[in-house]
Amino acid sequence: MLEPPRVALLIQSSLEYGRGLLRGIGSYLQGHGPWAVFHRVGMMPESLSPQLRKWQPQGIIGQFETRNLLRQVQRLRIPTIDLFALHSFRNIARFAVDHAAVSQMAANFFLELGYQHFAYCGFQGVYYSERRGTAFVEYLAEKGYSVDVYEASSPRGSKSVFDIESAGQFEIERIGQWLGTLPKPLALMAGTDVRARQVLEACRLFEFRVPKEVAVLGVGNDEVLCNLADPPLTSVALRPETIGYEAAALLDRLMHGAAPPVEPLVHGPLCIVPRQSTNSVAIADPVVHEAVSFLRAHFAEGISVAEVARHVGVSRSTLQRRFVEALGRSPREELIRTQLNRVEELLRDTTLPLGKIAERTGFNYPECLMKLFKRKIGKTPTEYREQFVKGR
């Protein structure tokens, strides 16, 4: 009987993103394994351990933060996949997150809520946080908006991503002072969920109301971190399970003689998971603001646009015109958007059948919901739910 290939997984498992990568690798192995796996629980090592070298792996999948570690791996002359894609090394395949797409998704989310004032708070010295900040500023500049960027403290010496993020806890007062200088209501994107929680703590310390004065959005959708936050944190969900699965499949091919791709394989974000930290609208027109608030409170009752117009005391045509001026979309489009956001939430977070979801979101028939969901989201409700079930 052939011995299974020995594969080292040098992946940080202390946060949800790393665990998602490992889940994706595990999913691949369930159908294509087995592998003999070496995995060190916890933080990434700064150098290859003597135990790993002695084990003589035949392949490696890792998150390589430093050139030094990558050089050590390269000298092993075995198929290797880098899941950070921070450095380019010959014969090492790379997977990368599309950080520009992450920031664009965040910006569009805030724009749809009607915000006019924007800010970004990240970590200096953390490459993906810096890239997301640059992309957020550039994308909103194209839309005609400026972004206030927090000047994070410079890391001293050679520190890991974990060290830099942890040190951010000591910047909370400084972040609060910075927030106090910015116009409100403010839409703030944080570079990571860790940084977003620090921003929320600064808001609590300085008594800024979230989300009414400061709406906060993170990146990573680490459910533990997001639900430890007060209020619970809205976050951009990435695709670690998909990346882990595809990385394992690629390593399998590399160990059978395939050549590694020269360019990194890039994956965009999955979606935004809304929670209470952004559960607000920032609309200057008081009629439209009240209409949106009423619509969000009663959409599950199957209300019509005419009922919304009667509630705010204007004609349907006037409401239509003012909606388009304020938000760039009609009351009907806002109603559908609100309904589908709730449908997505119920598909992600519950096991309710589609009929029950239709009842709770103002649809008379599940068939109407299915047809509209497919047209607007690009997936059936079942397909949408499955991509989250795989990650649990």
Side-chain angles (χ1 to χ4, degrees):
M1 183 176 178
L2 292 176
E3 290 291 323
R6 297 182 299 279
V7 175
L9 304 178
L10 304 183
I11 294 171
Q12 183 188 98
S13 58
S14 59
L15 293 176
E16 175 58 26
Y17 186 80
R19 294 192 293 273
L21 293 171
L22 292 169
R23 283 196 298 270
I25 294 169
S27 294
Y28 179 81
L29 293 184
Q30 288 173 21
H32 303 85
W35 289 350
V37 170
F38 177 103
H39 176 245
R40 171 181 167 177
V41 176
M43 302 303 301
M44 276 292 299
E46 295 184 3
S47 61
L48 294 182
S49 68
Q51 294 89 345
L52 176 59
R53 294 177 187 275
K54 186 177 180 180
W55 191 60
Q56 296 183 331
Q58 295 163 281
I60 296 179
I61 302 175
Q63 295 170 296
F64 301 112
E65 187 178 342
T66 68
R67 288 185 175 274
N68 178 56
L69 186 54
L70 271 167
R71 290 191 188 98
Q72 294 177 40
V73 170
Q74 190 180 45
R75 284 196 286 269
L76 295 178
R77 298 183 182 278
I78 60 175
T80 299
I81 294 178
D82 176 14
L83 299 180
F84 262 178
L86 179 56
H87 309 289
S88 176
F89 274 68
R90 188 169 58 85
N91 293 329
I92 293 182
R94 293 169 291 160
F95 280 79
V97 172
D98 188 338
H99 300 294
V102 168
S103 296
Q104 290 172 17
M105 180 177 283
N108 286 331
F109 176 78
F110 282 137
L111 289 170
E112 287 181 359
L113 292 175
Y115 281 92
Q116 303 288 315
H117 305 298
F118 302 92
Y120 182 83
C121 185
F123 293 106
Q124 187 172 341
V126 177
Y127 79 98
Y128 47 82
S129 177
E130 293 179 345
R131 290 181 184 177
R132 290 166 189 167
T134 299
F136 191 66
V137 170
E138 292 177 348
Y139 183 74
L140 282 168
E142 293 174 3
K143 301 291 184 181
Y145 299 96
S146 62
V147 178
D148 287 286
V149 179
Y150 175 70
E151 297 294 335
S153 300
S154 300
R156 295 181 179 178
S158 177
K159 290 189 176 181
S160 69
V161 168
F162 180 81
D163 289 334
I164 294 171
E165 290 190 336
S166 297
Q169 191 71 22
F170 301 103
E171 293 184 79
I172 287 174
E173 185 172 353
R174 186 164 170 257
I175 291 172
Q177 292 169 348
W178 169 68
L179 290 173
T181 69
L182 304 182
K184 312 292 188 304
L186 180 70
L188 184 145
M189 178 186 178
T192 67
D193 289 339
V194 172
R195 187 53 127 184
R197 289 190 67 246
Q198 293 165 359
V199 171
L200 289 173
E201 181 63 19
C203 289
R204 185 196 63 77
L205 183 64
F206 283 78
E207 299 183 345
F208 299 125
R209 292 171 294 172
V210 178
K212 190 170 184 178
E213 291 181 290
V214 183
V216 181
L217 176 148
V219 179
N221 194 41
D222 187 315
E223 291 192 5
V224 173
L225 291 181
C226 290
N227 288 307
L228 281 174
D230 182 23
L233 175 67
T234 295
S235 186
V236 182
L238 305 177
R239 300 178 183 267
E241 290 84 5
T242 299
I243 293 173
Y245 187 96
E246 293 186 7
L250 176 57
L251 183 67
D252 209 351
R253 295 195 298 272
L254 297 180
M255 291 191 296
H256 284 86
V262 175
E263 297 298 324
L265 303 172
V266 180
H267 288 72
L270 180 60
C271 67
I272 287 178
V273 180
R275 299 184 180 90
Q276 286 92 321
S277 71
T278 59
N279 187 24
S280 184
V281 291
I283 303 169
D285 187 322
V287 169
V288 177
H289 190 286
E290 175 59 25
V292 170
S293 298
F294 179 79
L295 186 151
R296 289 186 173 189
H298 299 282
F299 73 91
E301 301 166 16
I303 61 171
S304 66
V305 174
E307 289 176 277
V308 177
R310 282 197 299 271
H311 173 77
V312 296
V314 299
S315 68
R316 182 168 178 167
S317 61
T318 297
L319 184 65
Q320 170 88 9
R321 174 180 56 80
R322 292 175 73 159
F323 247 85
V324 172
E325 290 173 353
L327 294 175
R329 55 184 178 271
S330 69
R332 176 64 180 166
E333 289 169 333
E334 178 64 18
L335 176 59
I336 291 172
R337 177 178 171 276
T338 303
Q339 288 177 296
L340 293 184
N341 281 346
R342 179 58 176 158
V343 170
E344 289 180 282
E345 183 180 344
L346 292 172
L347 289 170
R348 286 194 305 266
D349 301 337
T350 77
T351 58
L352 287 172
L354 196 61
K356 290 292 184 183
I357 291 177
E359 289 177 12
R360 294 190 181 190
T361 53
F363 289 93
N364 292 327
Y365 304 101
E367 294 79 11
C368 295
L369 167 56
M370 290 176 64
K371 184 176 180 180
L372 183 63
F373 193 92
K374 174 68 173 178
R375 188 171 82 244
K376 294 290 186 179
I377 308 300
K379 295 181 174 71
T380 67
T382 299
E383 290 169 340
Y384 182 87
R385 172 172 269 167
E386 284 176 349
Q387 65 188 354
F388 289 94
V389 171
K390 290 177 181 177
R392 291 174 185 155

